[in-house]
Amino acid sequence: MGGVSTPVRELLVLSDEALRDCITQTAAQRYGRWRYALGLDAFSGGVGMDFGCGTGVEGLQLALGGMRVCSADINSANLACAARVTAVFGVAHRLAGLRVVRDTAPFWIPLHEPLDLWLASGVVHHIPYARELMAWVAGQMRPGGEARLLLYSDRNFAFYGNDWERFVRGMDPVGEYADWYDRDKLSALVVPLWRVVDFEYLPPPLDYAVARLVRAS
């Protein structure tokens, strides 16, 4: 059973031990190579949301670090997997909730408390209504709360010859939607509700970008 490529419904029928092994392998693949750049180990308290949680690997890192985490996804099977992952790793008490994501505001049922962190790893660049989403997210944050984003970048776009159709086919095999961001384009998307405080490119050949945003006061 192979880490990130294993379909979530196959994960759900694994034994606890097999699921733990699979998620451990996935985490090693991701954090041993590049997702460490999101800086998730900087968070040790408060409430975070793992948006587009998938199998819950990123949210698990936050929970293991001491944060309470709400998993959010458009796919209910992903939510079930993320919840089970927290249980298998002994941090179910740090699950702050599960939220089904919709494609219009309100994008999810709000929590009873504001978020300290909104994590979207490899998600925003697949959302055509990203401006509306980021405005909604800002309203769910405490002042000074952070968003951490992993994004397709202008370097990814340039790799495909600045050809939009080639870029979408290459970066989104499903062929539905993909976008790219540099610092200026991201700022234009989120200002004035957010400040872009960091925007860094990952080393080639990935060339993705990691951005840190702070909710404006």
Side-chain angles (χ1 to χ4, degrees):
M1 285 279 172
V4 296
S5 63
T6 306
V8 67
R9 293 192 183 278
E10 293 185 21
L11 294 176
L12 286 170
V13 299
L14 294 178
S15 67
D16 287 354
E17 181 179 0
L19 178 61
R20 184 183 181 93
D21 288 346
C22 190
I23 295 299
T24 298
Q25 178 186 350
T26 299
Q29 290 172 348
R30 293 184 179 184
Y31 295 99
R33 296 190 304 168
W34 49 276
R35 291 199 177 187
Y36 67 89
L38 285 165
L40 303 186
D41 57 352
F43 298 91
S44 58
V47 181
M49 174 173 281
D50 182 9
F51 183 81
C53 65
T55 58
V57 176
E58 276 76 37
L60 174 64
Q61 310 311 307
L62 294 172
L64 290 172
M67 193 169 226
R68 291 186 294 127
V69 181
C70 175
S71 297
D73 203 283
I74 197 170
N75 187 327
S76 59
N78 288 349
L79 295 177
C81 186
R84 187 172 168 218
V85 165
T86 63
V88 166
F89 281 82
V91 288
H93 59 290
R94 295 198 178 119
L95 185 63
L98 302 172
R99 290 295 186 270
V100 175
V101 175
R102 302 188 297 185
D103 58 4
T104 58
F107 291 100
W108 63 80
I109 298 173
L111 300 179
H112 296 299
E113 54 192 319
L115 297 171
D116 297 280
L117 170 67
W118 189 73
L119 170 66
S121 180
V123 181
V124 171
H125 49 238
H126 287 305
I127 296 178
Y129 45 88
R131 183 181 305 279
E132 293 80 4
L133 173 65
M134 293 306 299
W136 162 262
V137 174
Q140 310 307 307
M141 308 293 296
R142 66 166 176 81
E146 293 191 23
R148 299 285 175 99
L149 313 178
L150 178 73
L151 300 164
Y152 294 158
S153 77
D154 54 315
R155 295 182 181 181
N156 297 126
F157 189 50
F159 177 81
Y160 288 99
N162 297 328
D163 182 298
W164 197 273
E165 290 187 4
R166 288 182 59 209
F167 168 74
V168 173
R169 287 198 306 269
M171 302 303 285
D172 181 7
V174 177
E176 293 181 354
Y177 182 84
D179 204 349
W180 59 267
Y181 291 92
D182 58 16
R183 188 178 187 123
D184 288 344
K185 186 173 178 177
L186 181 62
S187 294
L189 182 81
V190 302
V191 170
L193 296 177
W194 298 91
R195 291 186 296 110
V196 181
V197 295
D198 284 310
F199 187 95
E200 298 183 5
Y201 295 97
L202 299 185
L206 290 169
D207 286 330
Y208 295 176
V210 171
R212 182 165 72 94
L213 315 181
V214 173
R215 172 69 168 95
S217 300

